[in-house]
Amino acid sequence: MSDLLETHEDGVAILTFNRPERRNALSAAMINGLVDALHRLDADQSVGCIVLTGAGGAFCAGGDVKGMAEGGSLTGGGRTFEEGVRNLRAGM
């Protein structure tokens, strides 16, 4: 199952963070999917509103710190921390 779900109805696009077991903490894959979806939906003339929501009992706990500690990254794959931060900021 995808960590970011997307539905459309009557001009409303709903993007749902779908990692309730981690209180919808953002992984790099979720951030990339969100950025891609927002760019695509912005260009879609049939979409008048985008709603962000979270599955389960939380909207979003922020960055996935536990995932980062396990070797994951939110910084966009930069070789150094500074490059990663630049990549992340460019995506936002």
Side-chain angles (χ1 to χ4, degrees), residues 24-57:
N24 299 314
L26 296 170
S27 65
M30 284 176 72
I31 292 171
N32 292 335
L34 180 61
V35 169
D36 290 344
L38 291 173
H39 284 294
R40 182 175 33 76
L41 293 169
D42 181 48
D44 186 339
Q45 296 297 312
S46 71
V47 174
C49 176
I50 301 170
V51 176
L52 301 178
T53 189

Side-chain angles (χ1 to χ4, degrees), residues 1-78:
M1 171 142 307
S2 176
D3 290 346
L4 183 66
L5 306 176
E6 182 176 330
T7 60
H8 299 243
E9 185 175 334
D10 297 327
V12 177
I14 301 173
L15 300 175
T16 303
F17 301 134
N18 190 35
R19 298 179 74 212
E21 73 283 355
R22 292 217 178 175
R23 300 185 55 78
N24 299 314
L26 296 170
S27 65
M30 284 176 72
I31 292 171
N32 292 335
L34 180 61
V35 169
D36 290 344
L38 291 173
H39 284 294
R40 182 175 33 76
L41 293 169
D42 181 48
D44 186 339
Q45 296 297 312
S46 71
V47 174
C49 176
I50 301 170
V51 176
L52 301 178
T53 189
F59 167 64
C60 178
D64 187 357
V65 176
K66 185 176 179 182
M68 287 184 269
E70 293 169 350
S73 172
L74 291 181
T75 59

